[in-house]
């Protein structure tokens, strides 16, 4: 059975067509530079082993979706799985989408205004264009719905949660779940007996405490802004700072731009939001780049340590995402803090590209696992089908 995975971002659309039994990728693609009013976009499509990169004469999500459906039509599509950023408390698992679910999705669009409306729109368009397929929504937030109240409630009046749904939701859930399950497979141990800390590090960054296969805490919150400093997002800081900015001349839009697009690695370094560029400069002695690296190490170390305490220990620490998978120096500097807990890194393994990078004598396993949200979405769709 061929399942089309659709990941619609605010200005992009990615897809993979995956044969569910073999889990083979039949086709993949990216449309970048999409927005209302655009007349062209960058298109990268690979069918089989043949990549095609060009500029397409259209620039909207709707036109891109039409183009991708035409690109995979020869294979046939039995089902689609759509990444939806925010499911709120309404959706705690993958759901088959019908008109009633579409209506519910539209009512919670305010929770992720840059993403959910586009996710929902692409779902609606796919349903119209592929009427013979089953269509499913897979939520970034669903995996974190197992968090207890003590983890997801803020120190705000309880009525704000009850009346407006203001609480920690967490994101990157699909990949946190995938790498936790994959870690259990690699370690050949049942996930039900494992305590795992998963570190999804990239342009967006979050850490998750996974106990017995369930998320019990995570760093991102009501929005993806909370937690670690990211490519351009600030991460957590004293909210009184935001009030000060608003009182001293910033408009809400300017403040939002500051904390979402001008902060994080870019703002701290003044160099780039790309960690690779920052590390190149740090290795050449750039003070700002080194400061940015040290702040990342400090914040990540702090969250790992707190989750160790929260779970009463840890069996495995997993690194994933563009930075997590490709920055052995960052991993080394973080893990050096946990020798007291019996975590010992094997530096040769750390630089070799293999999954298990901890030393044989280490009491805690440390792994590097490539992200694969699309494959996990396929598995979620299959599980939903079988459950139905």
């Amino acid at each position: 059975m061929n399942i089309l995975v659709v990941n619609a971002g605010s200005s992009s659309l990615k897809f993979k067509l995956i044969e569910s039994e073999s889990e083979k990728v039949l086709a993949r693609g990216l449309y970048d530079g999409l927005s209302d009013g655009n007349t062209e976009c960058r298109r990268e499509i690979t069918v089989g082993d043949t990549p095609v990169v060009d500029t397409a004469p259209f620039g909207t999500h709707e036109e891109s979706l039409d183009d991708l459906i035409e690109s995979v039509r020869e294979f046939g599509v039995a089902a689609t799985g759509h990444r939806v950023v925010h499911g709120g408390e309404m959706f705690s698992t993958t759901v088959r989408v019908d008109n009633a679910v579409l209506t519910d999705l539209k009512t919670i669009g305010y929770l992720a205004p840059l993403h959910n409306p586009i996710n929902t729109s692409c779902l609606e368009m796919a349903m119209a264009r592929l009427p013979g397929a089953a269509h499913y929504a897979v939520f970034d937030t669903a995996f974190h719905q197992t968090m207890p109240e003590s983890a997801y409630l803020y120190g705000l009046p309880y009525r704000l949660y009850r009346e407006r749904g203001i609480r920690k939701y967490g994101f990157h859930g699909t990949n946190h779940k995938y790498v936790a399950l994959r870690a259990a497979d690699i370690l050949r141990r049942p996930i039900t007996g494992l305590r795992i800390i998963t570190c999804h590090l990239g342009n967006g960054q979050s850490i998750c405490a996974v106990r017995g296969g369930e998320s019990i805490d995570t760093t991102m919150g009501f929005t993806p802004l909370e937690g670690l400093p990211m490519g351009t997002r600030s991460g957590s800081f004293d909210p009184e700072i935001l009030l000060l900015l608003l009182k001293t001349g910033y408009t809400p839009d300017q403040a939002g731009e500051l904390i979402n697009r001008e902060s994080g690695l870019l703002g701290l370094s003044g160099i780039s939001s790309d960690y690779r560029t920052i590390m190149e400069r740090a290795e050449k002695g750039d003070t700002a780049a080194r400061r940015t690296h040290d702040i990342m190490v400090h914040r990540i170390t702090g969250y790992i340590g707190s989750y160790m305490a929260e779970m009463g220990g840890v069996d495995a620490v997993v690194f994933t995402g563009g930075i997590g998978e490709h920055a052995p120096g960052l991993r080394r500097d973080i893990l050096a803090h946990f020798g007291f807990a019996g975590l010992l890194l094997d530096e040769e393994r750390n630089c070799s590209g293999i999954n298990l990078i901890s030393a044989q004598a280490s009491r805690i396993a440390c792994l590097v696992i490539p992200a694969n949200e699309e494959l996990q979405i396929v598995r979620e769709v299959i599980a939903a089908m079988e459950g139905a």
Side-chain angles (χ1 to χ4, degrees):
M1 177 168 53
N2 298 336
I3 297 177
L4 177 64
V5 178
V6 179
N7 183 350
S10 57
S11 62
S12 66
L13 190 151
K14 295 188 289 186
F15 76 90
K16 280 186 182 178
L17 183 69
I18 298 176
E19 199 285 310
S20 60
E21 188 170 344
S22 66
E23 297 187 340
K24 178 182 179 181
V25 177
L26 303 175
R28 70 181 74 205
L30 166 67
Y31 301 84
D32 196 21
L34 306 177
S35 67
D36 290 337
N38 275 15
T39 57
E40 63 180 27
C41 69
R42 177 179 170 81
R43 173 174 56 185
E44 304 174 19
I45 294 180
T46 300
V47 178
D49 297 321
T50 307
V52 176
V53 180
D54 60 13
T55 299
F58 49 79
T60 67
H61 286 83
E62 183 172 12
E63 292 166 315
S64 299
L65 192 66
D66 284 337
D67 188 72
L68 86 82
I69 289 174
E70 196 58 39
S71 299
V72 303
R73 192 176 296 280
E74 63 181 286
F75 296 101
V77 176
T80 68
H82 294 252
R83 178 198 178 212
V84 179
V85 167
H86 216 310
E89 290 190 318
M90 187 176 290
F91 298 104
S92 59
T93 188
T94 296
V95 294
R96 183 167 181 173
V97 180
D98 56 19
N99 288 333
V101 172
L102 275 175
T103 298
D104 288 338
L105 286 172
K106 290 174 182 178
T107 65
I108 60 171
Y110 72 94
L111 291 172
L114 296 180
H115 295 91
N116 264 36
I118 290 172
N119 301 153
T120 304
S121 177
C122 285
L123 250 169
E124 196 165 14
M125 289 187 284
M127 291 168 68
R129 288 156 175 76
L130 295 168
H135 302 273
Y136 290 83
V138 181
F139 301 91
D140 269 13
T141 51
F143 182 55
H144 302 300
Q145 285 295 300
T146 51
M147 288 190 296
E149 276 190 336
S150 55
Y152 71 69
L153 285 177
Y154 292 118
L156 295 169
Y158 187 74
R159 59 181 169 78
L160 291 178
Y161 163 61
R162 190 176 60 250
E163 296 169 5
R164 302 193 181 194
I166 294 177
R167 51 157 285 183
K168 176 187 284 192
Y169 289 99
F171 300 88
H172 295 143
T174 304
N175 193 51
H176 283 299
K177 182 176 183 178
Y178 171 78
V179 298
L181 290 166
R182 180 74 183 118
D185 286 342
I186 293 168
L187 297 174
R188 298 182 181 180
R189 294 177 60 184
I191 196 167
T192 51
L194 289 175
R195 299 161 297 178
I196 303 173
I197 296 172
T198 53
C199 305
H200 180 115
L201 308 178
N203 189 52
Q205 304 194 112
S206 64
I207 299 177
C208 182
V210 183
R211 184 171 60 202
E214 295 185 341
S215 169
I216 66 160
D217 206 348
T218 190
T219 56
M220 282 182 168
F222 179 67
T223 74
L225 187 69
E226 187 177 354
L228 296 167
M230 305 172 217
T232 62
R233 298 178 202 145
S234 64
S236 298
F237 62 90
D238 185 341
E240 192 70 34
I241 295 170
L242 197 56
L243 298 179
L244 175 66
L245 294 176
L246 294 173
K247 291 174 182 176
T248 55
Y250 275 78
T251 67
D253 285 346
Q254 289 171 333
E257 185 76 8
L258 177 76
I259 60 178
N260 280 287
R261 300 187 188 279
E262 300 173 9
S263 298
L265 305 186
L266 175 63
L268 286 167
S269 70
I271 298 168
S272 174
S273 62
D274 190 324
Y275 181 74
R276 293 168 297 184
T277 303
I278 291 170
M279 277 314 299
E280 287 172 7
R281 295 281 289 270
E283 288 166 1
K284 295 175 181 177
D286 187 289
T287 302
R290 189 69 212 181
R291 176 180 65 232
T292 303
H293 168 81
D294 290 346
I295 290 170
M296 276 193 67
V297 170
H298 178 266
R299 300 292 195 276
I300 295 167
T301 299
Y303 279 117
I304 292 175
S306 70
Y307 289 166
M308 281 184 174
E310 198 169 329
M311 293 193 292
V314 65
D315 301 296
V317 177
V318 178
F319 290 90
T320 186
I323 297 174
E325 296 164 31
H326 302 293
L330 178 68
R331 296 193 297 262
R332 180 186 61 244
D333 290 352
I334 292 165
L335 297 176
H337 291 82
F338 297 103
F340 75 93
L343 195 161
L344 304 174
L345 181 69
D346 184 309
E347 187 56 30
E348 185 176 345
R349 289 181 178 180
N350 185 39
C351 298
S352 68
I354 64 174
N355 291 128
L356 188 63
I357 63 172
S358 46
Q360 190 170 357
S362 181
R363 294 203 298 268
I364 299 169
C366 188
L367 303 99
V368 178
I369 300 176
N372 200 336
E373 291 170 299
E374 295 87 359
L375 180 55
Q376 186 61 35
I377 287 173
V378 167
R379 292 173 178 175
E380 296 288 331
V381 168
I382 294 297
M385 285 179 157
E386 292 174 349

